[in-house]
Amino acid sequence: MLRYDRPAIGLALGLSGLAGFVDALGFLNIGGFFVSFMTGNTTRLGIELAEGRLDGVLVAGMIIALFVVGVICGSLVGHVGKHRRQAAVLAFVTLALALSAGLYGAGLAIAAAGILALAMGAENAVFQRDGEVTIGLTYMTGTLVKMGQRLAGALLGGSKRAFLRHFVLWLSLLVGAFLGAYAHLHVGLSAIWLAALATGGFTIVAFFMPSRD
């Protein structure tokens, strides 16, 4: 994150908040499975296997597989988009979220959650350099590790502010998750439309931002 300028960091914070929002919606809708946090789903898959619950195995396996498919799609779309790669990826995410909202409106809640996982997988292709993800937007373990490392560096005489970007990225996901849970309480999974609208706005912002990846 330290290599990016402020507009790019601002976009990353917004997208991390979006991931928290969407993850909360998916989690609450499908009973404790995540649509952006695959470490949790992998643990859940192991538990479901151990306890012999086939339905849980199928849901966890489907979400993980669709997340990976989303990463593939996001990377391919970004490759085709070239100099407007970030905007191209976000346009794909917007369409996926709109499709998910449409599926939910048609009464296909599980399918809608699956497309949410695909969208979140694709979102991780927004910030890439040399084919590698440089800012993880939908998972925070690595971010918290880096924050801890920066804090350790500060105690050893290094920069006292280097940890802040990692902290704020984590905080953005937390705030997004809170808003997603609040929205779910009041309008249910229909709140996906709000996520799609927000992502459309991020797409426009990214289109006018110079890509430095």
Side-chain angles (χ1 to χ4, degrees), residues 42-54 56-57:
T42 301
T43 300
R44 183 72 185 268
L45 177 59
I47 293 171
E48 300 295 324
L49 284 168
E51 297 184 350
R53 292 198 290 262
L54 181 59
V57 170

Side-chain angles (χ1 to χ4, degrees), residues 123-206:
E123 184 182 309
N124 282 290
V126 172
F127 290 98
Q128 284 189 182
R129 182 176 283 116
D130 299 326
E132 298 293 331
V133 173
T134 52
I135 301 179
L137 298 170
T138 69
Y139 48 91
M140 288 296 123
T141 302
T143 298
L144 291 174
V145 168
K146 290 177 181 177
M147 185 179 77
Q149 290 173 330
R150 301 289 183 250
L151 287 169
L155 293 174
L156 294 172
S159 172
K160 300 297 189 290
R161 302 176 62 184
F163 78 95
L164 283 174
R165 287 188 173 187
H166 303 291
F167 171 74
V168 176
L169 187 68
W170 169 81
L171 186 62
S172 296
L173 190 136
L174 174 62
V175 171
F178 170 82
L179 294 175
Y182 185 83
H184 186 274
L185 179 65
H186 291 279
V187 298
L189 209 60
S190 296
I192 300 172
W193 285 115
L194 297 176
L197 181 63
T199 311
F202 292 138
T203 302
I204 296 171
V205 170

